[in-house]
Amino acid sequence: MSFLSETLARVKPSPTMAITGLVGELKAQGRDIIGLSAGEPDFDTPENIRAAGIRAIEDGKTRYTAIDGIPELKQAICAKFKRDNGLEYNPKQVTVGTGGKQVLYNALMATLNHDDEVVIPAPYWVSYPDMVLLAGGVPVFIEAGLDNNFKITPEQLDAAITRNTKWVLFNSPSNPTGAGYSRDELKALTDVLLKHPHVWVLSDDMYEHLAYDGFEFCTPAQVEPKLYDRTLTVNGVSKAYAMTGWRIGYAAGPEPLIAAIRKVQSQSTSNPCSISQWAAVEALNGPQDFLAPHNEIFKRRRDLVLDRLNAIDGITCPTPEGAFYVYPSIAGLIGKTTAKGVEISNDEVFVTELLNDTGVAAVFGAAFGLSPNFRISYATSDAALEEACDRIAKFCSELT
């Protein structure tokens, strides 16, 4: 009999974190590695936010706080939802966790029973299915392919819902594709959900502020107010505010659900870092004027990568509406052979050989539930992206 839990055997380690760790190891060995696997901005946390964290330390705000967030942060979150999304919440409807991942995990742990189903569009963030499995649920996937710009249709959503469905997990703009749903596209999906009153919506809005080309972000409870009482809207400060290491995520939803999430958190981690919470207050309440110039930089990098990748024979890469990822298809490269005689039989082999031969680290598409693709994060310097694209182009040109 194994000493380890049977539940643990159902899940796998995060592929993105594994590749990021490998990049660090290879760099430590002296390898010339360009890491395009990590999903975090290369900008520093804005100065006013850093200063708020320092003030919190100097003011002695270093003790335990309320389990799921200080009142000041909950008020700031309520103000954010009203300002940005037109959603009214009170502090009792808000939870704060150690990153958006914990909030999502807490919600699933608090609600899923054995064999409850969670509908997840694929490609998906790598952690979604495994969090569902850890909580005892069953992930149900809807394939959103390249032909529909990685977006699901209302018909697909309707067909995926059964009497066992508890949640639909929604992410726009998406990790890994950057695909964003317009208001009309989202309204068509929420119309389907209105037909199924037993199904709740778990909306991961982490990339809300990273949108380009006039794309207007919207969230399900905003588009369809009738879903307000069965929607948990999740967000955080990590991406838009360049605060990945501060580890603050939050969500708002019905009070009974928030109370259940609080119970889970009370017996796991308790409160998020007190210093990070005060920094997050400043992030949400303070100046937002850095968001637009940051997005201009991201858009320029996106267009650079798109132009370079789409010029490579065998690669097709659609234009994403947001986030800082592209998700190119390598369907035209499958079956080819590297200069060292390795057959590119799937996307995992492709990224492995790409790393071995060129030092460019990306994430294979199977990790996100849709192949043959790979994910690149363009949240790094223009020079690194140009060099990475040079190496990718050379690697692909040598395939036979």
Side-chain angles (χ1 to χ4, degrees), residues 47-62:
E47 192 279 332
N48 63 305
I49 300 172
R50 302 198 308 269
I54 293 169
R55 281 197 306 273
I57 296 172
E58 293 175 339
D59 292 345
K61 294 174 178 175
T62 56

Side-chain angles (χ1 to χ4, degrees), residues 51-366:
I54 293 169
R55 281 197 306 273
I57 296 172
E58 293 175 339
D59 292 345
K61 294 174 178 175
T62 56
R63 301 183 182 276
Y64 294 134
T65 74
I67 291 165
D68 61 348
I70 58 177
E72 293 84 353
L73 181 50
K74 289 192 173 188
Q75 289 285 0
I77 291 166
C78 291
K80 172 262 176 290
F81 277 121
K82 184 175 182 180
R83 176 182 70 235
D84 295 342
N85 312 114
L87 293 171
E88 295 274 359
Y89 292 105
N90 66 64
K92 292 182 179 179
Q93 293 176 280
V94 172
T95 183
V96 181
T98 306
K101 180 181 284 189
Q102 185 187 23
V103 175
L104 291 163
Y105 180 77
N106 286 349
L108 294 168
M109 288 296 293
T111 58
L112 291 183
N113 297 309
H114 183 67
D115 289 340
D116 281 345
E117 295 174 353
V118 178
V119 173
I120 304 173
Y124 45 71
W125 181 41
V126 294
S127 293
Y128 291 154
D130 291 288
M131 287 193 288
V132 171
L133 291 168
L134 278 169
V138 179
V140 175
F141 304 113
I142 304 176
E143 184 173 306
L146 181 65
D147 56 347
N148 201 40
N149 292 321
F150 304 122
K151 302 177 191 179
I152 63 170
T153 66
E155 293 76 19
Q156 286 179 301
L157 177 59
D158 198 34
I161 292 172
T162 73
R163 65 179 184 178
N164 293 328
T165 306
K166 182 158 280 186
W167 290 101
V168 170
L169 212 170
F170 187 76
N171 177 217
S172 170
S174 158
N175 176 5
T177 67
Y181 289 77
S182 70
R183 179 176 288 268
D184 287 345
E185 289 169 333
L186 189 50
K187 183 63 170 66
L189 297 177
T190 59
D191 284 348
V192 171
L193 293 167
L194 289 177
K195 295 164 49 181
H196 303 280
H198 66 292
V199 178
W200 284 51
V201 185
L202 189 47
S203 184
D204 181 351
D205 296 353
M206 192 62 68
Y207 296 91
E208 169 183 6
H209 292 300
L210 299 167
Y212 319 115
D213 303 327
F215 174 76
E216 294 185 8
F217 171 84
C218 50
T219 193
Q222 174 187 16
V223 170
E224 181 45 76
K226 292 177 183 176
L227 292 175
Y228 176 90
D229 289 330
R230 50 186 173 109
T231 298
L232 184 69
T233 304
V234 180
N235 213 313
V237 296
S238 60
K239 309 299 184 181
Y241 298 94
M243 294 177 68
T244 50
W246 297 78
R247 306 308 299 136
I248 293 291
Y250 58 83
E255 284 188 38
L257 174 59
I258 297 300
I261 289 171
R262 185 184 309 118
K263 182 186 292 187
V264 173
Q265 189 156 309
S266 74
Q267 297 294 0
S268 55
T269 61
S270 295
N271 65 273
C273 172
S274 60
I275 299 158
S276 297
Q277 290 188 65
W278 284 103
V281 171
E282 175 62 22
L284 295 178
N285 287 344
Q288 309 289 302
D289 52 358
F290 61 88
L291 294 174
H294 280 188
N295 277 8
E296 283 300 314
I297 294 171
F298 280 138
K299 180 181 182 300
R300 184 184 72 235
R301 293 171 175 176
R302 180 202 67 174
D303 293 345
L304 181 162
V305 172
L306 285 172
D307 288 346
R308 294 295 307 275
L309 292 179
N310 279 317
I312 299 172
D313 287 341
I315 291 182
T316 303
C317 190
T319 301
E321 288 84 1
F324 38 63
Y325 309 106
V326 291
Y327 198 66
S329 167
I330 57 165
L333 302 177
I334 297 298
K336 293 192 173 185
T337 303
T338 70
K340 295 180 179 178
V342 178
E343 181 185 353
I344 305 298
S345 56
N346 56 51
D347 46 46
E348 185 170 5
V349 173
F350 176 83
V351 300
T352 299
E353 294 307 308
L354 182 68
L355 178 60
N356 290 339
D357 287 5
T358 73
V360 175
V363 187
F364 57 95

